[in-house]
Amino acid sequence: MCMTWLEIIGWNKKQNGGMKWLQRRGCYMNHRVALLSSHFSPFSVVMASEKEAALAAIPSDSPTIFDKIISREIPHHVVYEDDKVLEFRDIRPQGPIHILVIPKVKDGLTGLSKAIAPPNPQRTSASEESHIDILGRLLYVAKLVAKQEGLDDGFRIVINDGPQGCQAVYHIHVHVIGGRQMNWPPG
């Protein structure tokens, strides 16, 4: 028997070894949600929606949950990894396949609107060059993982930017969502 997300959080905080109990009963995904939720403030744990979480998030360049995933402090299911990019499954999937693609080094790129382009074709700094290059790399490896996951009939790429764009984690990331028919308009 698996419990709801909020029941898991309560169980994990009240019971010693609660996560082991969940894992033994085949609730691995909920187990991961409970573990990740322990890294959020109590306010963010009880958010009713992604929209509320995004509106409550404070845009900043400070470390995020993704930094903990990159450093392996938080377990995750790696789908793809190279020296610049990490891809892993979303803990709150919006489709049968939902993968997050993130750069391993944030370099001030908290959202797409923060990307810096050089003022002329002659790139003036490594940071400016890396934003252009990493944005292209994120999209390219998103395509690679979509092919790897068998999304030959199509998939959706989403980049949320800022509070009105429903961005809840200020470390640029690309959502690859597929395995079902998408609708339009998206939201």
Side-chain angles (χ1 to χ4, degrees):
M1 169 191 97
C2 290
M3 300 187 294
T4 68
W5 186 57
L6 290 174
E7 288 172 329
I8 289 167
I9 293 164
W11 177 270
N12 184 43
K13 292 188 180 198
K14 290 179 187 172
Q15 304 292 325
N16 187 11
M19 285 202 235
K20 287 187 173 121
W21 180 88
L22 291 168
Q23 196 170 22
R24 284 193 307 267
R25 279 150 185 82
C27 300
Y28 180 70
M29 183 57 70
N30 290 338
H31 160 75
R32 290 177 59 210
V33 169
L35 178 62
L36 289 174
S37 69
S38 68
H39 293 278
F40 294 125
S41 71
F43 179 70
S44 64
V45 169
V46 295
M47 290 291 163
S49 71
E50 292 294 321
K51 179 181 173 185
E52 289 177 355
L55 292 173
I58 299 170
S60 76
D61 196 27
S62 59
T64 68
I65 191 167
F66 291 167
D67 294 301
K68 291 182 178 189
I69 289 172
I70 292 166
S71 68
R72 306 294 200 255
E73 292 175 56
I74 296 176
H76 58 281
H77 181 245
V78 173
V79 177
Y80 175 90
E81 182 173 15
D82 64 26
D83 60 326
K84 297 184 186 291
V85 175
L86 180 67
E87 294 185 358
F88 54 93
R89 298 201 186 278
D90 196 303
I91 62 166
R92 296 181 70 188
Q94 301 302 304
I97 296 172
H98 188 162
I99 296 167
L100 295 176
V101 186
I102 63 172
K104 287 184 171 180
V105 177
K106 190 171 13 175
D107 191 28
L109 195 53
T110 57
L112 188 57
S113 61
K114 301 301 183 194
I116 301 170
N120 60 49
Q122 305 263 341
R123 294 181 176 162
T124 58
S125 77
S127 179
E128 291 171 342
E129 181 177 339
S130 67
H131 285 184
I132 292 169
D133 293 343
I134 197 63
L135 290 171
R137 184 145 190 94
L138 290 172
L139 291 176
Y140 179 74
V141 297
K143 179 211 71 134
L144 291 179
V145 79
K147 182 175 178 65
Q148 173 186 312
E149 295 289 316
L151 299 176
D152 300 324
D153 291 335
F155 54 93
R156 180 164 286 163
I157 297 291
V158 177
I159 301 175
N160 300 326
D161 190 82
Q164 287 194 346
C166 216
Q167 183 178 6
V169 179
Y170 284 86
H171 183 132
I172 193 163
H173 54 287
V174 175
H175 297 259
V176 179
I177 306 168
R180 67 172 171 87
Q181 178 60 55
M182 298 292 159
N183 296 313
W184 196 260

